Amino acid sequence: MIYFDHAATTPIGQEALQAMLPYLTEAHGNPSSLHHLGKQARFALDVAREQVAALLGARPAEIVFNSGATEGNNHALKGVAHRLKEQGKGAHIITTEIEHDAVLHPCQALQKEGFEVTFIGVDENGIVRLEELQNALRPDTILVSVMHANNEMGTIQPIQAIAEICHARGVWLHCDACQTVGHIPLDVHDLGVDLLTLSGHKFYGAKGAGALYIRRGVRLETLVDGGPHQKGRRGGTENVPAIVSMGTAAVVAMAALQNGEEARVAQLRDYLIDGIEKTVPGAHLNGDRNQRVPGIANFSFEGVEGEGLILELDARAGICCSTGSACAAGSLDPSPVLLAIGRETGLARAGTRFSLGRGNTKEEIDALLKLLPEVIGSLRQLSPEARLVSL
């Protein structure tokens, strides 16, 4: 098995796994309980909060734990929208056409409630056009939401410049940073964001835990009502094992950034991109070649359905990759992200994402590069709509 689908989820790291195990067994207390087991769990949460905050350059009090980025995005978007609308500050939101469904769908839900949402486009490299953002801002705009890096292409957005534009107009900025946290250096104050979401399983933590960074001074409505957990910002007993795992993963991620491990992943990514462009005719790299996260390379192959390609690679050699967002797996529709950068329908349906991680090797990429031309050639011969691709 060769795993090239780290953008969907990373395997849990050994340190993160070992850290969470005691909280699944003997240290099983509820962190809201007053006895010693409860205090033990509470202390573990406090440590994890400090660890996650350190990874972001934030204050621990600015971190709210949740179940993952989908909840965090919903909390940020709906929490700000409802609070500011009630205060009479407006009902207009701006986001991009290439956001994850965890942002797009909450925005669509807000539209049904009467909010106005403007979906701005991107250029051919998948980068937000700053002028289009400036022109979209209105006196009643209350929030802008732009992902830090696109989950399909890996393209990194100019968040600092976007933050400056937003704050000059008194508008808050939310950033979905699931694909960047733990993979590139990130400081929320340098970025200038007001809200930022992350998910532990995207950087070698356990599934089921994420966090929302809420800058001090930002007030938003609670999404999950319940007890007074996390100072009333998110009700419900915290998932202590997964949160502890995420905290430990944050520490490991900081070390990996410092010792050059993510830089090694970026070198492997470039080796893969160069290899595909040399060995596969009709291959189109999607997204900016350089302004991207270390592990993601997305290609459209002429005359090939992305879904068929990933199934064939898996069946022949146990190579795991994807057509894009794992949350949209099984959809036969062309990728909205690739359509947004100007790919025609066939190429938008052909997008294939190879996302590398710390465990991958050059030998694994060589195995893919050896097999890929053969598989694509076979699929092109079988496809009635395949184009003639010059060899």
Side-chain angles (χ1 to χ4, degrees), residues 73 77 95 99-108 145 174 176:
N73 288 337
L77 293 162
T95 189
E99 298 297 312
H100 191 280
D101 282 347
V103 167
L104 294 177
H105 289 176
C107 284
Q108 292 163 0
S145 180
H174 164 251
D176 178 345

Side-chain angles (χ1 to χ4, degrees), residues 37-88:
L37 281 178
K39 291 178 180 178
Q40 184 181 24
R42 170 59 53 191
F43 179 76
L45 289 182
D46 291 341
V47 171
R49 198 182 307 276
E50 292 174 356
Q51 293 167 330
V52 172
L55 181 61
L56 303 181
R59 303 176 182 89
E62 295 173 315
I63 303 299
V64 176
F65 292 129
N66 52 40
S67 62
T70 295
E71 182 184 333
N73 288 337
N74 273 267
H75 189 186
L77 293 162
K78 295 176 181 178
V80 169
H82 293 152
R83 183 176 181 88
L84 295 188
K85 185 180 182 181
E86 286 182 359
Q87 295 177 353

Side-chain angles (χ1 to χ4, degrees), residues 157-286:
Q157 300 296 340
I159 297 298
Q160 289 174 305
I162 292 171
E164 291 175 3
I165 292 170
C166 292
H167 293 160
R169 300 284 290 273
V171 177
W172 285 346
L173 174 63
H174 164 251
C175 184
D176 178 345
C178 284
Q179 296 297 340
T180 55
V181 170
H183 300 290
I184 63 174
L186 186 156
D187 185 290
V188 289
H189 300 292
D190 289 343
L191 287 177
V193 296
D194 302 290
L195 300 138
L196 180 141
T197 50
L198 60 94
S199 192
H201 76 98
K202 300 293 188 177
F203 56 97
Y204 305 93
K207 297 176 182 66
L212 174 63
Y213 158 77
I214 306 174
R215 180 179 58 78
R216 185 168 62 179
V218 173
R219 298 289 182 267
L220 63 164
E221 285 193 4
T222 300
L223 179 71
V224 180
D225 293 311
H229 311 83
Q230 303 194 72
K231 299 181 179 178
R233 295 180 295 180
R234 197 270 192 183
T237 300
E238 298 89 344
N239 184 351
V240 178
I243 291 171
V244 167
S245 174
M246 178 171 62
T248 301
V251 174
V252 174
M254 291 180 68
L257 289 169
Q258 293 169 359
N259 66 26
E261 179 58 22
E262 289 295 335
R264 185 191 70 85
V265 174
Q267 291 176 343
L268 289 177
R269 175 206 65 200
D270 292 341
Y271 180 73
L272 172 63
I273 291 173
D274 291 340
I276 289 177
E277 290 181 335
K278 290 176 182 176
T279 61
V280 183
H284 301 265
L285 178 66
N286 296 312

Side-chain angles (χ1 to χ4, degrees), residues 17-30 35-41 240-241:
L17 174 61
Q18 293 303 316
M20 73 183 291
L21 289 179
Y23 299 93
L24 291 168
T25 53
E26 66 270 14
H28 56 77
N30 186 318
H35 50 65
H36 73 280
L37 281 178
K39 291 178 180 178
Q40 184 181 24
V240 178

